[in-house]
Amino acid sequence: MTVLGLGHDVVDVESFRRQCLSPGSLFVARAFCQAERLQCKARAQASGDDELMHLAARWAGKEAVLKAWCEALGDADYPLGLDGFEWSGIRIVEDARHRPHVEFSASIGQAVAGSLGKVRGNGAVCGVGDGLARGGGDGLAHGGGEKSGNGDDVALHWHVSLSHDGPIASAIALVECN
């Protein structure tokens, strides 16, 4: 495996809370898909803590994924601007064992795949074609081992780790190819 990009982000939970709870704010609805919101609510209920703390960790995860993607691009142009960026298109969801992983909407997945199609990371070239946007038939591109659509055996693998403690939420994301 070749590491293409690494990203890290830290979120001040109280500032995040103010942003989410400000009158008329649609931030949570625009930034998080329904699955993310429901999972955070369930985690908060199970652990007896704050739902926004879990959302803050996922927000840090989205930012870390974006940073890893940008690092993987190197000197290449960014395919998307931050103005009007589809934040809900980067999804930090957990599996049945509560392990977080990265999923992309079709549009973000296509942008990731297209932009990383010929990225050089540590001297290697990953030809990922356009296959990243193909998921399990649910319209999502899943972050663990998307095969390229061009007949080779190259795959992108996304990893994410979330944490929160007191007033801080943090996440690290890594993208690699085989």
Side-chain angles (χ1 to χ4, degrees):
M1 294 291 224
T2 299
V3 174
L4 299 176
L6 174 68
H8 176 249
D9 195 64
V10 176
V11 173
D12 178 334
V13 176
E14 283 309 310
S15 294
F16 181 81
R17 178 184 321 283
R18 285 191 299 275
Q19 180 179 2
C20 292
L21 299 178
S22 66
S25 175
L26 298 174
F27 176 76
V28 171
R30 289 183 178 156
F32 299 96
C33 71
Q34 183 178 10
E36 289 172 306
R37 294 189 308 266
L38 290 173
Q39 287 179 352
C40 287
K41 183 176 183 176
R43 295 278 291 201
Q45 288 173 345
S47 59
D49 58 13
D50 185 5
E51 182 178 341
L52 285 173
M53 183 180 300
H54 295 280
L55 283 170
R58 291 189 192 214
W59 179 252
K62 291 170 185 272
E63 291 268 3
V65 166
L66 183 62
K67 290 173 181 179
W69 180 15
C70 290
E71 181 185 358
L73 288 170
D75 293 333
D77 291 334
Y78 295 154
L80 302 170
L82 290 181
D83 292 338
F85 186 79
E86 179 196 350
W87 285 104
S88 62
I90 298 175
R91 299 167 184 170
I92 309 297
V93 293
E94 56 190 44
D95 63 16
R97 295 177 67 188
H98 304 292
R99 295 175 299 198
H101 63 274
V102 179
E103 294 180 350
F104 298 101
S105 67
S107 62
I108 298 293
Q110 289 170 350
V112 170
S115 67
L116 296 183
K118 298 285 183 196
V119 168
R120 297 182 190 281
N122 297 331
V125 175
C126 293
V128 296
D130 65 350
L132 186 62
R134 293 186 185 95
D138 55 6
L140 301 176
H142 301 277
E146 294 77 28
K147 295 293 183 189
S148 73
N150 58 11
D152 59 20
D153 290 330
V154 175
L156 290 177
H157 300 272
W158 287 88
H159 307 276
V160 65
S161 179
L162 311 177
S163 186
H164 54 79
D165 187 19
I168 300 296
S170 178
I172 295 173
L174 177 90
V175 60
E176 59 186 355
C177 71
N178 65 351

